[in-house]
Amino acid sequence: MANVHELARGFSYLECPRWRDGRLYVSDFYTHQVLAVDESGSVETIAKVPEQPSGLGWLPDGRLLVVSMRDRRVLRQESDGTLTEHADLSELTTWHLNDMLVDDAGRAYVGSFGFDLMSGAPMQTSNIVLVNPDGSAQVAAEGLAFPNGMTFVDGGSTLVVSESFGNRLGGFSVSATGELSEPRAWASFGPAPTSSDITEVLGAVSVLPDGICTADDNTVWVADAVGHRVIRVAEGGSIVDQVTTGDLSVFACALGGSDGRTLFMCAAPSFAEHERRDTRESVLLTAKV
């Protein structure tokens, strides 16, 4: 089993890691910052997002896109460092935005909560919105059980999404222009929960898939937010490898590093907002895989 090491600590709650140009970019929710961390653990603030940053990605010209969760916008960082609105998704979604995946053409797939998770509201399904490079947007998929981390497999022809409260990874075929097919179960971890009570849902799932990234053999690494582990999953649902994180829960992962074999993991004692907002107990872990 891979040995886990601590790269950096002192964060509020890390999510949505992305490796690019020798550094890991990551959102720290409750300090409202997008950060970049190098392999020595040195941290730089890249942007401040008052309404809470989440998913990250880049346009083909290198400009950063960042999800602004609470006001349901995607922001774009210009060359002078300023943030401007790239897309307003408030009319296409019903609660906070979530993670985001940006393809090589600059199309962004953005998930959303669908309900007030942190207040314990009844669970509702949600959607994925496709934001085109020009900022225009439309709903790309509906009826998902909390769409969370996303990644491409099959050379970009398949999008895999963590359905955190569905006990599965959903799969979509991707058209040449970015449209998504009807969803299917790319990997199932057991029966889908039938309750709308979030406590009952959490007790019913065997895996709670959160952040996700693609391995070089077309399997995917998935942060299991209730299992204190990151699992490597093959299509269908077989778990072929795992990295455990001890007492810490893990909520997102990314592959990168100078050799491409470093698994970066965003870990914290819990995901509960009231427990994380005023603490600095989130850590960034690594393992060679």
Side-chain angles (χ1 to χ4, degrees), residues 83-127:
L83 292 174
T84 189
E85 181 177 288
H86 184 66
D88 183 347
L89 306 188
S90 59
E91 296 298 317
L92 298 175
T93 55
T94 57
W95 198 251
H96 298 339
L97 300 185
N98 200 359
D99 211 336
M100 174 175 67
L101 177 66
V102 182
D103 70 11
D104 291 341
R107 292 182 289 247
Y109 298 88
V110 185
S112 58
F113 281 35
F115 68 103
D116 187 353
L117 167 65
M118 297 305 179
S119 295
M123 195 191 81
Q124 303 287 328
T125 59
S126 188
N127 62 20

Coordinates of all heavy atoms in Angstrom, one line a residue, residues 83-127:
L83 N -10.7 39.3 -11.6 CA -11.8 38.4 -11.9 C -13.0 39.0 -12.5 O -13.4 40.1 -12.0 CB -12.2 37.6 -10.6 CG -11.2 36.7 -10.0 CD1 -11.7 36.2 -8.7 CD2 -10.8 35.5 -10.9
T84 N -13.5 38.4 -13.5 CA -14.7 39.0 -14.2 C -15.7 37.8 -14.4 O -15.3 36.6 -14.4 CB -14.4 39.7 -15.5 OG1 -15.5 40.3 -16.0 CG2 -13.9 38.6 -16.5
E85 N -17.0 38.2 -14.6 CA -18.0 37.1 -14.8 C -17.8 36.5 -16.2 O -17.8 37.2 -17.2 CB -19.4 37.7 -14.7 CG -20.5 36.7 -14.9 CD -21.9 37.3 -14.7 OE1 -22.2 37.6 -13.5 OE2 -22.6 37.5 -15.7
H86 N -17.7 35.2 -16.2 CA -17.7 34.4 -17.4 C -19.0 33.9 -17.8 O -19.4 33.9 -18.9 CB -16.7 33.2 -17.3 CG -16.4 32.4 -18.5 ND1 -15.8 32.9 -19.6 CD2 -16.8 31.1 -18.8 CE1 -15.8 32.0 -20.5 NE2 -16.3 30.9 -20.1
A87 N -19.8 33.4 -16.8 CA -21.1 32.9 -17.0 C -21.9 33.0 -15.7 O -21.4 32.7 -14.6 CB -21.1 31.5 -17.4
D88 N -23.2 33.4 -15.8 CA -24.1 33.5 -14.7 C -25.1 32.3 -14.8 O -25.8 32.2 -15.7 CB -24.9 34.8 -14.7 CG -25.8 34.9 -13.5 OD1 -26.1 33.9 -12.8 OD2 -26.4 36.0 -13.3
L89 N -25.0 31.3 -13.8 CA -25.8 30.1 -13.9 C -26.9 30.1 -12.9 O -27.5 29.1 -12.7 CB -24.9 28.9 -13.7 CG -23.6 28.8 -14.5 CD1 -22.9 27.4 -14.3 CD2 -23.9 29.0 -16.0
S90 N -27.3 31.3 -12.4 CA -28.3 31.3 -11.3 C -29.7 30.9 -11.9 O -30.5 30.5 -11.1 CB -28.3 32.7 -10.7 OG -28.6 33.7 -11.7
E91 N -29.9 31.1 -13.1 CA -31.2 30.8 -13.7 C -31.3 29.3 -14.1 O -32.4 28.8 -14.4 CB -31.6 31.7 -14.9 CG -31.7 33.1 -14.6 CD -32.9 33.4 -13.6 OE1 -33.9 32.8 -13.8 OE2 -32.7 34.2 -12.7
L92 N -30.2 28.6 -14.1 CA -30.1 27.2 -14.6 C -29.9 26.2 -13.4 O -30.0 25.0 -13.6 CB -29.0 27.1 -15.6 CG -29.1 27.9 -16.9 CD1 -27.8 27.7 -17.7 CD2 -30.3 27.5 -17.7
T93 N -29.7 26.7 -12.2 CA -29.4 25.9 -11.1 C -30.3 26.4 -9.9 O -30.8 27.5 -9.9 CB -28.0 25.9 -10.7 OG1 -27.6 27.3 -10.5 CG2 -27.1 25.3 -11.8
T94 N -30.4 25.5 -8.9 CA -31.3 25.8 -7.8 C -30.6 26.0 -6.4 O -31.2 26.4 -5.5 CB -32.4 24.7 -7.6 OG1 -31.7 23.4 -7.4 CG2 -33.3 24.6 -8.8
W95 N -29.3 25.7 -6.3 CA -28.6 25.9 -5.1 C -27.1 26.1 -5.5 O -26.8 26.3 -6.7 CB -28.8 24.8 -4.1 CG -28.4 25.2 -2.7 CD1 -27.4 24.7 -2.0 CD2 -29.1 26.1 -1.9 NE1 -27.4 25.3 -0.7 CE2 -28.4 26.2 -0.6 CE3 -30.2 26.9 -2.0 CZ2 -28.8 27.0 0.4 CZ3 -30.6 27.8 -1.0 CH2 -29.9 27.8 0.2
H96 N -26.2 26.0 -4.5 CA -24.8 26.3 -4.8 C -24.3 25.5 -6.0 O -24.6 24.3 -6.1 CB -24.0 26.0 -3.6 CG -24.3 26.8 -2.4 ND1 -25.0 28.0 -2.4 CD2 -24.1 26.6 -1.0 CE1 -25.2 28.5 -1.2 NE2 -24.6 27.6 -0.3
L97 N -23.3 26.1 -6.7 CA -22.6 25.4 -7.7 C -21.5 24.5 -7.0 O -21.2 24.7 -5.8 CB -21.8 26.4 -8.6 CG -22.7 27.3 -9.5 CD1 -21.9 28.1 -10.4 CD2 -23.8 26.5 -10.2
N98 N -21.0 23.6 -7.7 CA -20.1 22.6 -7.1 C -18.8 22.5 -7.9 O -18.2 23.5 -8.3 CB -20.8 21.3 -7.0 CG -20.2 20.3 -6.0 OD1 -19.2 20.6 -5.3 ND2 -20.8 19.1 -5.8
D99 N -18.4 21.3 -8.3 CA -17.1 21.1 -9.0 C -17.3 21.5 -10.5 O -18.4 21.7 -11.0 CB -16.6 19.7 -8.8 CG -15.1 19.6 -8.9 OD1 -14.5 20.4 -9.5 OD2 -14.6 18.6 -8.3
M100 N -16.2 21.5 -11.2 CA -16.2 21.9 -12.6 C -15.1 21.1 -13.4 O -14.0 20.9 -12.8 CB -16.0 23.4 -12.8 CG -15.9 23.9 -14.2 SD -15.8 25.7 -14.3 CE -14.2 26.0 -13.5
L101 N -15.4 20.8 -14.6 CA -14.4 20.1 -15.5 C -14.3 20.9 -16.8 O -15.4 21.2 -17.4 CB -14.7 18.7 -15.8 CG -13.8 17.9 -16.7 CD1 -12.4 17.7 -16.1 CD2 -14.5 16.6 -17.1
V102 N -13.1 21.4 -17.2 CA -13.0 22.2 -18.4 C -12.2 21.3 -19.4 O -11.1 20.8 -19.1 CB -12.3 23.5 -18.1 CG1 -12.1 24.3 -19.4 CG2 -13.0 24.3 -17.0
D103 N -12.7 21.2 -20.6 CA -12.1 20.4 -21.7 C -11.0 21.3 -22.4 O -10.9 22.5 -22.2 CB -13.1 19.7 -22.6 CG -13.8 20.7 -23.5 OD1 -13.4 21.9 -23.6 OD2 -14.8 20.2 -24.1
D104 N -10.4 20.6 -23.4 CA -9.3 21.3 -24.1 C -9.8 22.5 -25.0 O -9.0 23.4 -25.3 CB -8.5 20.3 -25.0 CG -7.7 19.3 -24.2 OD1 -7.4 19.6 -23.0 OD2 -7.3 18.3 -24.7
A105 N -11.1 22.4 -25.3 CA -11.7 23.5 -26.1 C -12.2 24.7 -25.3 O -12.6 25.7 -25.8 CB -12.8 22.9 -27.0
G106 N -12.1 24.5 -24.0 CA -12.6 25.6 -23.1 C -14.1 25.4 -22.7 O -14.6 26.4 -22.1
R107 N -14.7 24.3 -23.0 CA -16.0 24.0 -22.5 C -16.0 23.6 -21.1 O -15.2 22.7 -20.7 CB -16.7 23.0 -23.4 CG -17.0 23.4 -24.8 CD -17.7 22.4 -25.6 NE -16.8 21.2 -25.9 CZ -16.4 20.9 -27.1 NH1 -16.8 21.6 -28.2 NH2 -15.6 19.9 -27.3
A108 N -16.8 24.1 -20.3 CA -16.8 23.9 -18.8 C -18.1 23.1 -18.4 O -19.2 23.6 -18.8 CB -16.7 25.1 -18.0
Y109 N -18.0 22.0 -17.7 CA -19.1 21.2 -17.2 C -19.1 21.5 -15.7 O -18.2 21.3 -15.0 CB -18.9 19.8 -17.5 CG -18.9 19.4 -18.9 CD1 -17.6 19.4 -19.6 CD2 -20.0 19.1 -19.6 CE1 -17.6 19.1 -21.0 CE2 -20.0 18.8 -21.0 CZ -18.8 18.8 -21.6 OH -18.7 18.5 -23.0
V110 N -20.3 22.1 -15.3 CA -20.4 22.6 -13.9 C -21.5 21.8 -13.2 O -22.7 21.8 -13.7 CB -20.7 24.1 -13.9 CG1 -20.7 24.6 -12.4 CG2 -19.6 24.8 -14.7
G111 N -21.2 21.2 -12.0 CA -22.2 20.5 -11.2 C -22.8 21.5 -10.2 O -22.3 22.6 -10.0
S112 N -23.9 21.1 -9.6 CA -24.5 21.9 -8.6 C -25.2 21.0 -7.5 O -25.5 19.9 -7.7 CB -25.6 22.8 -9.2 OG -26.6 22.1 -9.9
F113 N -25.4 21.6 -6.3 CA -25.9 20.9 -5.2 C -27.3 20.4 -5.4 O -27.7 19.3 -5.1 CB -25.9 21.8 -3.9 CG -24.6 21.9 -3.2 CD1 -23.4 21.9 -3.9 CD2 -24.5 22.0 -1.8 CE1 -22.1 22.1 -3.3 CE2 -23.3 22.1 -1.2 CZ -22.1 22.1 -1.9
G114 N -28.2 21.3 -5.8 CA -29.6 21.0 -6.0 C -30.5 21.2 -4.7 O -31.7 21.3 -4.8
F115 N -29.9 21.3 -3.5 CA -30.6 21.5 -2.3 C -29.6 22.0 -1.2 O -28.4 22.0 -1.4 CB -31.3 20.2 -1.8 CG -30.3 19.1 -1.4 CD1 -30.1 18.9 -0.1 CD2 -29.7 18.4 -2.3 CE1 -29.3 17.9 0.4 CE2 -28.8 17.4 -1.9 CZ -28.6 17.1 -0.6
D116 N -30.2 22.5 -0.1 CA -29.4 23.0 1.0 C -28.8 21.9 1.8 O -29.3 21.6 2.9 CB -30.2 24.0 1.8 CG -29.4 24.8 2.8 OD1 -28.2 24.5 3.0 OD2 -30.0 25.7 3.5
L117 N -27.7 21.3 1.4 CA -27.1 20.2 2.1 C -26.7 20.5 3.5 O -27.0 19.8 4.4 CB -25.8 19.8 1.3 CG -24.9 18.8 2.0 CD1 -25.6 17.5 2.2 CD2 -23.6 18.6 1.2
M118 N -26.1 21.7 3.7 CA -25.5 22.0 5.0 C -26.6 22.2 6.1 O -26.3 22.1 7.3 CB -24.6 23.2 4.9 CG -23.4 23.0 4.1 SD -22.4 21.5 4.5 CE -21.1 21.6 3.3
S119 N -27.8 22.5 5.7 CA -28.9 22.7 6.6 C -29.8 21.4 6.8 O -30.8 21.4 7.5 CB -29.8 23.9 6.2 OG -29.1 25.1 6.2
G120 N -29.4 20.4 6.1 CA -30.1 19.1 6.2 C -31.4 19.1 5.5 O -32.3 18.3 5.9
A121 N -31.6 19.9 4.5 CA -32.8 19.9 3.7 C -33.0 18.5 3.0 O -32.0 17.8 2.7 CB -32.8 21.0 2.7
P122 N -34.3 18.2 2.6 CA -34.5 16.9 1.9 C -33.7 16.9 0.6 O -33.6 17.9 -0.1 CB -36.0 16.9 1.6 CG -36.6 17.8 2.6 CD -35.5 18.8 2.9
M123 N -33.1 15.8 0.2 CA -32.3 15.7 -0.9 C -33.1 15.8 -2.2 O -34.2 15.3 -2.3 CB -31.5 14.3 -1.0 CG -30.4 14.3 -2.0 SD -29.7 12.7 -2.3 CE -30.9 12.0 -3.4
Q124 N -32.6 16.6 -3.1 CA -33.1 16.8 -4.5 C -32.1 16.4 -5.5 O -30.9 16.7 -5.3 CB -33.6 18.2 -4.7 CG -34.6 18.7 -3.7 CD -36.0 18.0 -3.8 OE1 -36.4 17.7 -5.0 NE2 -36.7 17.9 -2.7
T125 N -32.5 15.9 -6.6 CA -31.5 15.7 -7.7 C -31.1 17.0 -8.3 O -31.8 18.1 -8.1 CB -32.1 14.8 -8.8 OG1 -33.3 15.4 -9.3 CG2 -32.4 13.4 -8.3
S126 N -30.0 17.0 -9.1 CA -29.5 18.3 -9.6 C -29.0 18.0 -11.1 O -29.2 17.0 -11.6 CB -28.4 18.8 -8.7 OG -28.0 20.1 -9.1
N127 N -28.3 19.0 -11.6 CA -28.0 19.0 -13.0 C -26.5 19.3 -13.2 O -25.8 19.7 -12.3 CB -28.8 19.9 -13.8 CG -28.7 21.4 -13.5 OD1 -27.8 21.8 -12.8 ND2 -29.7 22.2 -13.8

